[in-house]
């Protein structure tokens, strides 16, 4: 009756208010904790305690330094140690927003830590008076999952209620459910990286190096990759917890590597820093700059004697730091320049002299004890471009620079003047310079590798396919061949002037959200906002096919037989492609906004299309290769559609939305099924929705509905994998319906992870990174 409805609305409003109060309390407690820590760090030293050097004290920050990102909520699970990576991974608490999910304020979302007795089971079904004990953590936060009795007219149903941002979501267990049969401990299986697709070329440069082993050293997302072009194998350094931004190798020992990262997620090592590690053993040797750097490390370099490491902070002052990496101590620091600094390198002849370059400047530096002395380079009558973009050294040790105007200059380091010039050597920016036996190779915006003699006279040019590869961002010499890093996040290998082989493939412009596993073969598809569709061979880690679509792509799915691939866009268009040839078999337009979810029914006779306009469009696909006909429209969500799944018989469709709704529909007509308890025994053909009883335990306390971006159940229904906003891939047992369920977390991505899928056979998983545009293939071991 009306009174019942009124009371239910009032309860809902109170729950929302309570959720907001919980968030405020958590925020205040976090601020109190931060202030207490600051008081401790600034208090006078006690007996026997020495005052830490400000340069090495992690609690010491420069004015304006960004505060450390909060820790990701945890359950009773213990953190998983990273192989080869040094410190234990702790979960972060900031989350990039999904496209369309609202305006990002730039502030990290604070998530209270989840605590309580591990492995406490849910109360058994059927006992009316039993309830899950609501445990209190150190922050006093209540658990976000509890048994409730719901129903009217005296007929109560036992169910679980999941709370997300104060909203209660009721999940009905199957009628034959027994808690005792469900394990809540961490899975026996773990994940290890088998392959990292792509190379970071879009917003990086000069980042391919060659190790004594002949391996190519580069990075993608938060992983240092060591690729052997002869055996086509990869090894991985996994010590970082966010974007690797720069890389260098010691000139005295080619196996000593330095990599610098942006501000990350780890509670202990989340500040920007540089890691020194051994390329043979993958062992971390030193961590430098912790507590001093503010935003990220944009450049790193070793001195000629291998003892010093130079690093540049991306802060407003672009501060330059010099460290003795063996002693792990700071030698000197100095503001670099008020304008952006792109990089710096030591002169080959001196470990006390280096050159920095960036927007409108080149600066020559001397290290004098703990001071840095700088003098600007003099362009005199030569053209001064907006940016100096690259730096190398001639065989005589003189600096040679390229700039955004395409000019190539050789400098005298003694009087800081230009001694040789080739104005307009490239059409556009020069991003990389490589010298070998007197020859000077340059790569630039014009998609060409040019060869010059020592007098800067051009001898030859190697023209690459600009439409396919984009600009040349890095060059490295591998025997008599050149490795070429490209703007579209790929890598080529070949002799200068000859046809090159592409050895590393990746997606280019825009975020990467769309992925689908082939139903019967060891293949998977990815689609990106670069309008490229890849169908990958998981065994060889190379594309079987590459297609292009007209608009930026957002999601995809294979048909049950695998013969066609449906691809959706960010503008409402979607296409059905021949999975072998890439031919467009048919095209459609469902709504004016992007389509995040698309899936065929198990028999392939229907396809559901979930749009940002809040609707799900149902089509008949009786003839997979013919025209599809609209048969229904699911109307009832109040926010955009995020995920959808058909039942095993195709008669029921479940969907989730951006405001944490979990709704069910008639799979033939699109009519909403409102009595969801009648669907408790319906088995879903796939499970990718992030809500529902079988997966209600994947949500730690403090998570809101946007923190888990994707989910997938294994084909044998024993595991479930999730992708979150903190760069983590998480593995749970399935079903996961216990609030203290434990999991394993695995890092490789540096941005929000947008998609996870089990490959056929459940022996491997693919995960996609949003802004890092990476694809990682994991082994389930």
């Amino acid at each position: 009756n009306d009174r019942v409805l009124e009371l239910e609305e009032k309860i809902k409003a109170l729950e929302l208010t309570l959720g907001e109060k919980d968030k405020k309390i958590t925020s205040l407690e976090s601020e109190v904790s931060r202030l207490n820590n600051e008081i401790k760090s600034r208090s006078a030293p006690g007996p026997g305690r020495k005052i830490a050097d400000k340069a090495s004290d992690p609690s010491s920050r420069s004015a304006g330094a960004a505060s450390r990102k909060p820790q990701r909520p945890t359950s009773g699970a213990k953190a998983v140690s990273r192989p080869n990576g040094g410190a234990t991974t702790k979960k972060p608490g900031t989350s990039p927003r999904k496209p369309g999910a609202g305006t990002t304020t730039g502030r990290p979302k604070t998530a209270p830590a989840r605590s309580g007795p591990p492995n406490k089971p849910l109360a058994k079904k059927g006992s009316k008076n039993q309830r899950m004990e609501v445990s209190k953590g150190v922050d006093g936060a209540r658990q976000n999952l509890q048994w409730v009795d719901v129903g009217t007219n005296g007929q109560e149903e036992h169910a679980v209620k999941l709370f997300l941002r104060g909203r209660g979501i009721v999940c009905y267990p199957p009628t034959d459910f027994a808690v005792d049969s469900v394990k809540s401990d961490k899975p026996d299986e773990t994940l290890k990286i088998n392959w990292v697709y792509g190379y970071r070329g879009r917003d990086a440069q000069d980042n391919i190096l060659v190790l004594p082993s002949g391996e190519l050293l580069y990075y993608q997302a938060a992983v240092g990759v060591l690729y052997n072009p002869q055996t086509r194998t990869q090894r991985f350094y996994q010590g970082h917890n966010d974007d690797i931004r720069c890389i260098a190798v010691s000139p005295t020992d080619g196996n000593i590597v330095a990599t610098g990262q942006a501000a990350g997620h780890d509670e202990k090592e989340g500040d920007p820093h540089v890691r020194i590690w051994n390329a043979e053993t993958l062992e971390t040797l030193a961590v430098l700059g912790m507590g001093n750097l503010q935003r990220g490390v944009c450049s790193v370099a070793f001195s000629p004697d291998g003892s010093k490491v130079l690093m540049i902070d991306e802060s407003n002052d672009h501060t330059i730091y010099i460290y003795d990496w063996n002693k792990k101590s700071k030698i000197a620091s100095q503001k670099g320049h008020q304008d952006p600094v792109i990089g710096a390198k030591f002169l080959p002849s001196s470990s006390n002299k280096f050159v920095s370059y960036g927007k409108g400047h080149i600066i020559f530096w001397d290290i004098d004890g703990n001071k840095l002395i700088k003098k600007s380079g003099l362009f005199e009558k030569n053209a001064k471009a907006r940016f100096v973009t690259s730096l190398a050294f001639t065989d005589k040790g003189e600096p040679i620079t390229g700039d955004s105007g395409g000019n190539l200059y050789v400098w005298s380091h003694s009087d800081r003047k230009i001694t040789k010039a080739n104005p307009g050597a490239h059409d556009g920016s020069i991003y990389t310079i490589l010298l070998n036996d007197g020859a000077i190779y340059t790569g630039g915006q014009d998609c060409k590798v040019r060869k010059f003699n020592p007098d800067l006279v051009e001898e030859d040019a190697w023209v690459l396919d600009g439409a396919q590869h984009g600009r040349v961002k890095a060059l490295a010499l591998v025997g008599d061949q050149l490795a070429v890093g490209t703007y579209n996040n790929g890598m080529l290998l070949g002799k200068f002037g000859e046809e090159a082989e592409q050895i590393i493939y990746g997606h280019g412009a825009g975020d990467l959200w769309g992925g689908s596993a082939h139903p019967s073969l060891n293949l998977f598809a990815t689609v990106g906002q670069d309008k490229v569709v890849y169908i990958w061979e998981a065994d060889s880690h190379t594309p079987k096919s590459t297609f292009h679509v007209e608009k930026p792509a957002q999601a995809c799915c294979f048909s049950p037989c695998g013969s066609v691939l449906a691809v959706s866009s960010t503008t409402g268009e979607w296409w059905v492609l021949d999975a072998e040839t890439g031919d467009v078999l048919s095209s459609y337009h469902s709504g004016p906004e992007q389509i995040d979810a698309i899936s065929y029914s198990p028999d392939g006779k229907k396809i559901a299309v979930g749009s940002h306009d809040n609707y799900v469009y149902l089509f008949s696909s009786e003839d997979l290769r013919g025209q599809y006909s609209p048969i229904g429209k699911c109307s009832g969500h109040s926010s955009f559609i995020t995920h959808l799944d058909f039942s095993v018989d195709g008669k029921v469709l479940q969907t989730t939305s951006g405001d944490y709704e979990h709704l069910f529909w008639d799979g033939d007509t699109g009519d909403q099924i409102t009595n969801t308890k009648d669907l408790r025994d319906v088995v879903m053909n796939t499970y990718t929705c992030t809500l529902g009883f079988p997966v209600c335990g994947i949500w730690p306390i403090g998570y809101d509905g946007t923190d888990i971006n994707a989910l997938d159940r294994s084909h044998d229904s024993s595991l479930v994998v999730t992708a979150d906003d903190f760069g983590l891939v998480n593995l749970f047992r399935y079903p996961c319906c216990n609030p203290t369920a434990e999991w394993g977390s695995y890092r490789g991505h540096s941005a929000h992870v947008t998609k996870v899928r089990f490959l056929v056979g459940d022996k491997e998983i693919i995960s996609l990174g949003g802004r890092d545009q990476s694809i990682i293939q994991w082994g389930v071991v």
Side-chain angles (χ1 to χ4, degrees):
N1 57 30
D2 293 340
R3 179 57 178 167
V4 171
L5 293 174
E6 180 183 347
L7 290 173
E8 287 178 344
E9 288 297 320
K10 189 172 183 179
I11 290 171
K12 183 177 179 180
L14 289 172
E15 287 177 339
L16 290 172
T17 302
L18 180 60
E20 293 301 318
K21 296 292 184 183
D22 282 346
K23 288 171 60 180
K24 183 66 175 177
I25 291 170
T26 299
S27 176
L28 292 172
E29 287 174 339
S30 177
E31 181 65 10
V32 169
S33 176
R34 187 189 69 79
L35 293 173
N36 283 330
N37 289 336
E38 184 172 347
I39 289 171
K40 291 178 182 178
S41 67
R42 294 176 180 273
S43 60
R49 177 184 167 194
K50 295 182 180 180
I51 299 177
D53 178 14
K54 188 175 181 180
S56 60
D57 182 5
S59 65
S60 173
R61 288 294 197 104
S62 306
S67 60
R68 177 173 289 126
K69 297 183 180 182
Q71 184 180 359
R72 175 182 181 267
T74 59
S75 73
K78 293 183 178 179
V80 179
S81 296
R82 294 192 300 263
N84 315 321
T88 301
T89 301
K90 292 192 177 179
K91 290 93 179 169
T94 60
S95 55
R97 304 288 281 181
K98 292 173 62 174
T103 304
T104 299
T105 64
R107 282 187 175 275
K109 290 181 285 186
T110 302
R114 174 181 179 177
S115 63
N119 299 323
K120 183 173 180 58
L122 292 167
K124 289 186 179 180
K125 173 182 173 293
S127 178
K128 181 177 178 180
N129 295 322
Q130 283 184 305
R131 293 291 183 276
M132 187 195 78
E133 180 181 337
V134 180
S135 63
K136 298 282 184 177
V138 292
D139 56 358
R142 66 179 182 180
Q143 291 284 12
N144 62 341
L145 197 64
Q146 58 181 295
W147 282 108
V148 295
D149 286 335
V150 295
T152 57
N153 301 325
Q155 295 183 354
E156 293 184 330
E157 295 285 343
H158 218 38
V160 167
K161 181 173 275 191
L162 169 66
F163 293 92
L164 291 177
R165 298 188 73 174
R167 181 173 190 161
I169 302 166
V170 177
C171 306
Y172 292 96
T175 54
D176 60 351
F177 174 74
V179 170
D180 291 343
S181 64
V182 177
K183 293 183 178 180
S184 61
D185 56 334
K186 194 162 63 176
D188 297 329
E189 296 85 352
T190 60
L191 302 183
K192 70 177 186 68
I193 296 178
N194 284 349
W195 196 264
V196 175
Y197 295 80
Y199 143 84
R200 187 148 192 162
R202 199 159 196 85
D203 59 355
Q205 61 192 70
D206 263 345
N207 55 350
I208 303 176
L209 303 171
V210 182
L211 297 173
S213 62
E215 293 170 299
L216 294 173
L217 173 64
Y218 57 98
Y219 53 85
Q220 173 68 314
V223 182
V225 182
L226 299 84
Y227 172 73
N228 189 320
Q230 300 298 321
T231 61
R232 298 181 183 271
T233 55
Q234 291 181 341
R235 296 188 296 130
F236 313 102
Y237 175 73
Q238 294 175 252
H240 287 280
N241 54 65
D242 209 277
D243 277 317
I244 299 177
R245 304 298 302 275
C246 52
I247 195 166
V249 169
S250 171
T252 58
D253 185 342
N255 286 312
I256 303 299
V257 179
T259 43
Q261 76 158 63
H265 298 299
D266 193 90
E267 186 184 27
K268 285 186 176 180
E269 298 183 345
D271 288 337
H273 62 270
V274 169
R275 303 183 82 86
I276 311 297
W277 49 279
N278 187 298
E280 289 183 305
T281 64
L282 303 178
E283 175 190 5
T284 300
L285 305 176
V287 179
L288 309 175
M290 196 74 67
N292 291 321
L293 300 164
Q294 296 180 23
R295 295 183 184 169
V297 186
C298 65
S299 181
V300 64
F302 282 97
S303 61
D305 63 7
S307 66
K308 298 185 181 76
V309 169
L310 177 157
M311 62 188 76
I312 302 177
D313 189 7
E314 290 182 315
S315 63
N316 292 337
D317 293 329
H318 306 101
T319 304
I320 297 174
Y321 293 89
I322 308 295
Y323 272 79
D324 183 320
W325 76 264
N326 286 294
K327 296 180 181 178
K328 304 179 180 63
S329 61
K330 189 185 77 170
I331 297 173
S333 65
Q334 171 72 32
K335 293 180 180 179
H337 201 277
Q338 61 183 7
D339 290 323
V341 179
I342 292 177
K345 295 180 181 179
F346 280 92
L347 289 173
S349 59
S350 174
S351 292
N352 290 314
K353 296 179 182 292
F354 64 92
V355 181
S356 66
Y357 58 97
K359 183 178 180 180
H361 70 269
I362 177 172
I363 298 177
F364 294 78
W365 298 78
D366 286 287
I367 303 174
D368 184 9
N370 62 354
K371 296 181 180 180
L372 299 180
I373 302 170
K374 64 179 181 179
K375 296 180 180 179
S376 297
L378 306 175
F379 285 88
E380 297 181 315
K381 296 181 179 181
N382 295 283
K384 183 178 180 180
R386 187 180 179 191
F387 281 90
V388 179
T389 51
S390 53
L391 169 70
F393 296 94
T394 67
D395 292 342
K396 295 181 180 180
E398 297 290 5
I400 177 170
T401 61
D403 61 35
S404 56
N407 307 307
L408 199 60
Y409 297 140
V410 175
W411 298 74
S412 167
H413 72 267
S414 57
D415 58 14
R416 313 183 316 282
K417 295 181 179 180
I418 295 171
T419 59
K420 297 177 184 177
N422 185 339
H426 276 263
D427 297 325
S429 296
I430 299 172
Y431 295 112
T432 180
I433 303 172
L434 172 70
L435 285 91
N436 181 50
D437 292 335
I440 302 169
Y441 298 91
T442 59
Q445 186 176 346
D446 53 8
C447 310
K448 295 177 181 179
V449 178
R450 298 181 185 270
K451 181 179 180 182
F452 300 87
N453 67 18
D455 294 322
L456 302 189
V457 176
E458 183 174 348
E459 296 182 341
D460 203 353
W462 189 16
V463 182
L464 304 179
D465 185 342
Q468 180 179 354
H469 305 299
R471 310 166 191 175
V472 177
K473 301 302 293 289
L475 295 172
L477 191 66
V478 186
D480 60 351
Q481 295 181 307
L482 285 176
V484 182
T486 71
Y487 183 72
N488 287 346
N489 297 332
M491 194 182 301
L492 310 174
L493 184 64
K495 292 184 178 180
F496 180 85
E498 299 181 4
E499 185 174 354
E501 175 190 8
Q502 185 158 0
I503 56 174
I504 299 295
Y505 294 80
H507 280 278
D511 284 10
L512 180 60
W513 284 84
S516 178
H518 194 281
S520 57
L521 302 175
N522 202 24
L523 306 173
F524 65 94
T526 58
V527 299
Q529 294 177 4
D530 57 359
K531 306 179 186 179
V532 177
V533 178
Y534 283 117
I535 297 182
W536 303 90
E537 292 182 341
D539 293 331
S540 65
H541 315 298
T542 57
K544 179 178 181 290
S545 307
T546 305
F547 314 133
H548 293 81
V549 290
E550 297 176 353
K551 301 291 177 66
Q554 185 73 10
C556 66
C557 70
F558 280 102
S559 63
C561 63
S563 64
V564 303
L565 180 73
V567 178
S568 67
S569 73
T570 60
T571 55
E573 289 99 334
W574 58 281
W575 309 271
V576 179
L577 307 182
D578 185 302
E580 285 290 331
T581 65
D583 294 338
V584 178
L585 303 175
S586 57
S587 61
Y588 309 89
H589 201 291
S590 296
E593 301 185 46
Q594 77 182 33
I595 296 168
D596 282 331
I598 187 167
S599 181
Y600 282 96
S601 62
D603 59 6
K605 295 182 178 181
K606 297 187 292 284
I607 188 169
V609 180
S611 171
H612 259 235
D613 65 5
N614 305 353
Y615 298 115
V616 178
Y617 298 85
L618 280 175
F619 288 79
S620 170
S621 53
E622 293 279 352
D623 181 4
L624 280 174
R625 307 177 69 83
Q627 286 295 316
Y628 296 0
S629 303
I631 58 174
K633 183 178 177 180
C634 305
S635 175
H637 274 294
S638 53
S639 185
F640 57 91
I641 312 303
T642 56
H643 309 92
L644 52 84
D645 298 289
F646 278 99
S647 61
V648 170
D649 58 9
K651 294 182 178 181
V652 176
L653 180 70
Q654 71 168 353
T655 56
T656 53
S657 63
D659 61 349
Y660 336 128
E661 283 183 321
H662 183 210
L663 303 182
F664 294 86
W665 316 86
D666 186 301
D668 294 320
T669 65
D671 295 335
Q672 185 175 354
I673 303 172
T674 56
N675 193 1
T676 57
K677 67 181 180 181
D678 291 343
L679 304 176
R680 63 188 351 165
D681 293 323
V682 171
V683 178
M684 291 296 159
N685 184 54
T686 59
Y687 212 110
T688 62
C689 287
T690 54
L691 298 173
F693 182 79
V695 297
C696 61
I698 67 170
W699 294 93
I701 191 73
Y703 266 34
D704 67 23
T706 67
D707 288 331
I708 295 179
N709 299 315
L711 173 152
D712 194 32
R713 181 188 67 194
S714 61
H715 298 85
D716 66 2
S717 298
S718 65
L719 297 170
V720 62
V721 61
T722 68
D724 68 24
D725 264 355
F726 314 109
L728 296 173
V729 175
N730 308 293
L731 192 66
F732 298 81
R733 293 185 185 273
Y734 183 89
C736 183
C737 49
N738 194 314
T740 56
E742 298 183 354
W743 67 88
S745 292
Y746 305 91
R747 185 176 300 285
H749 294 283
S750 55
H752 51 294
V753 187
T754 57
K755 189 76 68 179
V756 280
R757 289 293 182 264
F758 280 92
L759 300 184
V760 65
D762 295 333
K763 297 298 183 184
E764 289 187 300
I765 291 170
I766 59 159
S767 61
L768 310 184
R771 293 192 185 94
D772 66 31
Q773 302 165 330
S774 62
I775 307 167
I776 298 181
Q777 189 170 324
W778 306 81
V780 182
V781 295

